[in-house]
Amino acid sequence: MAADYSAEPILKVENLSQYFKVSRDFTVKAVDGVSFEIYPGEVYGLVGESGSGKSTIGRAVIRLYTPTAGKVSFKGREISGKLTNEARDELRTRMMMIFQDPMASLNPRKTVGDIIGEGLDIHKMYATKEERKEKIDNILKKVGLSPEHYNRYPHQFSGGQRQRVGIARALIMNPDLIIADECISALDVSIQAQVVNLLKDIQEETGSAYLFIAHDLSMVKYISDRIGVLHLGHLLETGTTDEIFANPVHPYTRSLISAIPLPNPEVEKKRVSETYDYYTSGIDYNVGSNHLIEGTHYVFGTDEEIARWTGKAGA
Amino acid sequence: MEEKDKILDIKDLDVSFRTSAGTVHALRGVNIDLYRGETVAIVGESGSGKSVSMKAAMGLLASNAVVNGGQILFRYKNEAGEIEEADILKKDKKWIRRNINGRHMAMVFQDPMTSLDPTMQIGKQITEGIIAHLGVSKKEAEERAKALLEEVGITDAEKRMRNYPHQLSGGMRQRVVIAIALSCDPDLLICDEPTTALDVTIQTMILNLILKVQKERGISVIYITHDLGVVAKVADYVNVMYAGKIVEVGNVNEVFYEPAHPYTWGLLSAMPDLETEDSRLYTIPGSPPNLLHEPKGDAFAARNEYALAIDEKEHPPMFKITETHSAATWLLDPRAPKVEMPEELKRRIERMRKEAE
Ligand SMILES: Nc1ncnc2c1ncn2[C@@H]1O[C@H](COP(=O)(O)OP(=O)(O)OP(=O)(O)O)[C@@H](O)[C@H]1O
Ligand SMILES: Nc1ncnc2c1ncn2[C@@H]1O[C@H](COP(=O)(O)OP(=O)(O)OP(=O)(O)O)[C@@H](O)[C@H]1O
Ligand SMILES: [Mg+2]
Ligand SMILES: [Mg+2]
């Protein structure tokens, strides 16, 4: 299913902030005033450097954290404040997260079959034991594992196999929104391709939307309808995949795109990519506003910066 | 010039795991060579045995592992600067932990949480090893730790040293692990998917950092990675692994521009390049063999559209193509019909060569 932009967004994030107080004199502003929305059936790619707040956004949206400020709505219902039982239930069954760190998110004492079946168990989503087993076997096959893996424990798998267990656990619930946090980065290329094709198939079948968090821009480019670029907790640039790749405006986005390693040894060994250092760039993420470039392409900065970056300075 | 000094020599390594469902034959005769100062990449599908090979080299195999045969010779410089040789498989775990791990051979794992202690501040985790292995004072160890953290790109290093692992992002944790690995000046650094959790800009920074340290100190590096872009950037030699065997080995240009094994063709084709416009990515059909039921003949045959009748019966030997390049495919047998790589891949390689000019 293609993204439905005429519908109400399935997820709406407005001015989300998430701070962590690490010690008395040190607070990490992991996410600072971020806004974006995701439409039904849409894949929204979130990219940015390590520590920029991508996972934190995912975790705040699915309410593993209570947001410091801002508002998050899922299917028209606010989910950032105090949750009603009904809202919590909907959140737990209609939104699923695939975690970045498969080992840390899989219970080591449970078999893979039971880990995957947990959501089904809690929400009583089967009539008979056989139906449960069948559902789990099917999803195992779908993610490229085999029913024989049912009784194994997470530590008995390779890294990529474990990641597929996490994917199976999310997919089995048929959610409306899947938050996929670096869900393919631990996989090798051929399985990455399989999983990405799989995510696309599932989406066509069920119309799920994805918040696809990744740092592999060639994969993000391939799978996403729109992209948001995050740096130091600020959303700097957003637009359709074509808008971002054809015309990256923010110097940070430009440096990201220029750093994508290419599978070409002669080129790669000689290459020097564009660098970007916030602290010496003179840019201050606390001042400025979103500027419309074209279509759905927005860039955050001051009037002067935007003019400079788009080559319209002095005009 | 000094004779090339072989630092690691893995010969016919054969390892199984006992599981409740039966025996998993994870490594079925692995051969890997590495010379001092050089970089080798190991690529291959998930579950092909990359991590297990390296865990074996570090003496860290899981307790349900059985070594059926093979040798792992590691040659390192001892305190007096002389070269010493150890056959890792013959040493006991305690000896390896005391004399090799973290001192002469350091490993950066795929999953940073497995090598960090969640209950200990990261500063302490770095200084501990420095004090134990290098015998310096606590104060000096702290200085070194701070410098290392800055070197791997962690800002506010002094404050961050007081953080616990869960307070760091995935990428920052991985950088801490890399700092720990470098802290004791190892002879050999094994990086298992070191940058999969990192974004491209930091990845570039870390890879450059490892390259720099490598040049300065003459250490050898093994990269396990899925990212062929990373391989292209750092590797001198590439080993392609499939179902517990090395199926192609060559220098990086040979493997990228003149791949000979159909599995390598598949791997290179599955990469999305920025030009990919198709609505589906190429994938290698089927899935890797389940090593609970070891395949007869060539393990890749069932997925190989170029498979020959003999593939069903007998595993191909390594055929030598050049001094440095070999591949285990019957297609290289002089009696085999002439088969070329897929058109699409050929065009892609031509495009890559043009870009390189
Ligand atoms: N529970 C926590 N307590 C304190 N600080 C935290 C916590 N969780 C995250 N942080 C901090 O918030 C910032 C953003 O972290 P986050 O994990 O969201 O980054 P990320 O963009 O997902 O990075 P990566 O690509 O490395 O996974 C980092 O500086 C991190 O140290
Ligand atoms: N302790 C164990 N018990 C049983 N099987 C194991 C154990 N450790 C690894 N294996 C199996 O051995 C095979 C090789 O695993 P390994 O971790 O080396 O894969 P890998 O090539 O590193 O894959 P990835 O790219 O996914 O990390 C896999 O089939 C895995 O399931
Ligand atoms: Mg993260
Ligand atoms: Mg591995």
Side-chain angles (χ1 to χ4, degrees):
Chain A
M1 192 183 97
D4 182 0
Y5 292 108
S6 61
E8 283 298 306
I10 189 159
L11 182 77
K12 199 162 178 177
V13 174
E14 295 163 274
N15 267 315
L16 178 69
S17 292
Q18 186 76 55
Y19 299 168
F20 297 106
K21 199 170 157 88
V22 176
S23 62
R24 206 159 4 124
D25 54 351
F26 191 41
T27 295
V28 178
K29 295 187 174 178
V31 176
D32 211 359
V34 164
S35 306
F36 63 95
E37 63 273 343
I38 301 179
Y39 290 88
E42 186 183 35
V43 180
Y44 190 83
L46 200 54
V47 300
E49 76 169 3
S50 170
S52 58
K54 304 182 296 294
S55 297
T56 304
I57 289 179
R59 291 167 147 295
V61 165
I62 204 165
R63 280 307 292 273
L64 290 172
Y65 298 140
T66 304
T68 310
K71 183 172 162 193
V72 181
S73 319
F74 178 53
K75 300 170 82 176
R77 188 203 306 259
E78 181 177 348
I79 53 165
S80 40
K82 197 167 156 25
L83 291 174
T84 62
N85 284 341
E86 209 181 326
R88 184 179 303 274
D89 220 41
E90 174 143 301
L91 196 58
R92 292 287 165 260
T93 53
R94 306 315 311 151
M95 190 195 287
M96 296 298 293
M97 182 150 174
I98 304 169
F99 292 91
Q100 177 167 12
D101 206 334
M103 204 47 189
S105 65
L106 302 178
N107 184 339
R109 273 178 288 276
K110 278 192 162 180
T111 64
V112 154
D114 286 338
I115 290 173
I116 296 173
E118 194 174 20
L120 300 179
D121 295 341
I122 295 174
H123 303 284
K124 311 261 176 316
M125 289 165 69
Y126 49 85
T128 61
K129 276 235 145 54
E130 290 70 37
E131 189 190 338
R132 176 180 185 272
K133 179 82 169 62
E134 193 187 315
K135 279 191 167 175
I136 295 171
D137 284 355
N138 279 339
I139 208 85
L140 278 169
K141 280 186 251 170
K142 218 164 194 170
V143 298
L145 295 170
S146 102
E148 279 180 37
H149 290 123
Y150 189 100
N151 285 316
R152 274 212 226 167
Y153 292 89
H155 72 269
Q156 296 178 319
F157 284 94
S158 76
Q161 288 168 331
R162 273 201 294 264
Q163 189 57 282
R164 279 180 277 166
V165 173
I167 293 171
R169 178 173 63 173
L171 291 185
I172 202 165
M173 302 295 289
N174 252 330
D176 297 312
L177 176 68
I178 297 176
I179 301 176
D181 190 358
E182 306 275 8
C183 76
I184 53 164
S185 49
L187 307 179
D188 58 276
V189 271
S190 59
I191 294 186
Q192 270 189 4
Q194 273 175 27
V195 170
V196 166
N197 287 342
L198 171 75
L199 294 177
K200 280 197 154 183
D201 288 347
I202 303 258
Q203 192 195 20
E204 258 155 46
E205 226 176 278
T206 63
S208 312
Y210 291 90
L211 174 58
F212 189 83
I213 299 174
H215 58 264
D216 177 346
L217 281 155
S218 45
M219 216 34 113
V220 172
K221 174 177 184 212
Y222 179 73
I223 194 172
S224 307
D225 298 304
R226 284 188 305 134
I227 291 177
V229 179
L230 198 69
H231 194 215
L232 300 175
H234 296 262
L235 194 72
L236 301 179
E237 185 157 359
T238 180
T240 66
T241 305
D242 289 339
E243 286 165 345
I244 301 282
F245 273 84
N247 180 26
V249 170
H250 199 285
Y252 177 64
T253 313
R254 300 177 66 90
S255 80
L256 270 187
I257 291 178
S258 84
I260 302 173
L262 303 169
N264 191 346
E266 290 283 341
V267 171
E268 206 45 54
K269 291 229 157 68
K270 280 179 256 166
R271 191 157 71 144
V272 196
S273 41
E274 264 181 57
T275 56
Y276 173 75
D277 181 0
Y278 174 67
Y279 300 96
T280 56
S281 66
I283 299 171
D284 181 352
Y285 292 162
N286 296 308
V287 292
S289 59
N290 281 317
H291 293 249
L292 177 64
I293 305 295
E294 56 167 338
T296 62
H297 189 178
Y298 287 87
V299 179
F300 184 87
T302 62
D303 296 348
E304 184 273 324
E305 281 163 353
I306 300 290
R308 184 150 39 88
W309 298 335
T310 53
K312 295 195 185 108
Chain B
M1 240 199 86
E2 172 181 3
E3 171 97 336
K4 275 227 260 178
D5 173 17
K6 199 183 263 190
I7 174 164
L8 185 71
D9 188 354
I10 301 184
K11 280 190 211 154
D12 299 322
L13 183 61
D14 192 305
V15 174
S16 306
F17 291 101
R18 281 187 302 252
T19 72
S20 59
T23 303
V24 179
H25 199 176
L27 301 186
R28 307 184 305 137
V30 168
N31 291 285
I32 296 172
D33 288 336
L34 175 60
Y35 292 87
R36 191 170 297 278
E38 290 188 342
T39 301
V40 158
I42 306 178
V43 300
E45 220 155 11
S46 180
S48 58
K50 306 179 296 291
S51 298
V52 171
S53 313
M54 289 305 115
K55 282 187 186 150
M58 290 212 70
L60 294 177
L61 282 173
S63 55
N64 63 333
V66 183
V67 177
N68 307 312
Q71 238 182 359
I72 300 175
L73 300 177
F74 177 51
R75 306 176 76 234
Y76 57 95
K77 284 209 176 89
N78 67 15
E79 316 310 315
E82 297 148 357
I83 301 243
E84 241 174 86
E85 183 174 283
D87 183 345
I88 298 292
L89 293 176
K90 296 220 172 77
K91 301 283 184 186
D92 70 84
K93 283 198 172 175
K94 220 160 147 195
W95 184 89
I96 297 172
R97 206 160 44 227
R98 193 156 337 118
N99 296 285
I100 302 287
N101 290 357
R103 179 67 195 92
H104 295 291
M105 211 194 268
M107 185 150 175
V108 174
F109 289 99
Q110 196 160 2
D111 209 333
M113 271 327 247
T114 55
S115 35
L116 292 174
D117 179 345
T119 64
M120 202 194 276
Q121 294 180 346
I122 58 150
K124 186 131 187 282
Q125 302 197 41
I126 307 175
T127 52
E128 232 181 19
I130 301 180
I131 295 170
H133 290 297
L134 303 181
V136 299
S137 72
K138 184 162 173 248
K139 185 133 193 305
E140 201 183 325
E142 271 168 8
E143 285 303 312
R144 267 184 92 120
K146 187 169 156 257
L148 270 165
L149 284 176
E150 277 161 4
E151 218 176 334
V152 296
I154 290 192
T155 49
D156 284 323
E158 198 149 3
K159 282 180 188 148
R160 288 294 186 187
M161 282 171 64
R162 276 179 272 133
N163 278 177
Y164 290 90
H166 75 270
Q167 295 174 318
L168 304 179
S169 75
M172 287 160 108
R173 279 180 214 154
Q174 192 60 302
R175 282 183 275 168
V176 170
V177 174
I178 291 171
I180 293 174
L182 291 176
S183 67
C184 297
D185 248 325
D187 297 64
L188 170 60
L189 179 65
I190 300 175
C191 300
D192 190 348
E193 302 285 356
T195 55
T196 38
L198 308 181
D199 63 280
V200 282
T201 49
I202 298 201
Q203 169 173 290
T204 309
M205 194 182 105
I206 298 240
L207 296 178
N208 286 335
L209 169 76
I210 295 175
L211 283 170
K212 181 181 133 232
V213 177
Q214 187 174 14
K215 276 215 191 80
E216 283 167 8
R217 310 183 191 170
I219 60 178
S220 316
V221 182
I222 298 180
Y223 278 98
I224 299 178
T225 174
H226 301 132
D227 189 332
L228 297 174
V230 170
V231 176
K233 183 176 166 69
V234 301
D236 299 312
Y237 293 93
V238 183
N239 285 277
V240 181
M241 200 159 181
Y242 187 80
K245 278 180 192 281
I246 303 292
V247 297
E248 180 158 3
V249 59
N251 71 36
V252 65
N253 284 6
E254 288 166 335
V255 173
F256 277 82
Y257 300 138
E258 293 157 65
H261 197 286
Y263 175 64
T264 314
W265 297 345
L267 269 189
L268 291 170
S269 307
M271 280 265 315
D273 60 3
L274 290 172
E275 267 88 80
T276 308
E277 293 292 346
D278 305 346
S279 67
R280 287 184 80 74
L281 293 169
Y282 174 82
T283 63
I284 302 170
S287 50
N290 183 344
L291 293 174
L292 270 171
H293 314 288
E294 207 177 326
K296 194 160 165 255
D298 183 353
F300 188 56
R303 305 171 68 188
N304 182 3
E305 57 178 301
Y306 309 99
L308 306 171
I310 184 160
D311 280 308
E312 312 279 318
K313 296 186 204 100
E314 206 177 321
H315 192 276
M318 272 290 200
F319 289 94
K320 200 164 177 177
I321 304 163
T322 70
E323 222 20 72
T324 47
H325 189 191
S326 321
T329 163
W330 285 116
L331 295 178
L332 292 173
D333 189 281
R335 289 162 297 176
K338 183 135 182 59
V339 171
E340 295 208 29
M341 70 175 81
E343 266 313 305
E344 180 59 42
L345 180 61
K346 216 189 225 166
R347 278 198 296 276
R348 193 190 270 208
I349 291 176
E350 265 161 36
R351 213 162 55 222
M352 288 183 352
R353 281 183 187 270
K354 279 227 178 67
E355 277 164 32
E357 272 164 16

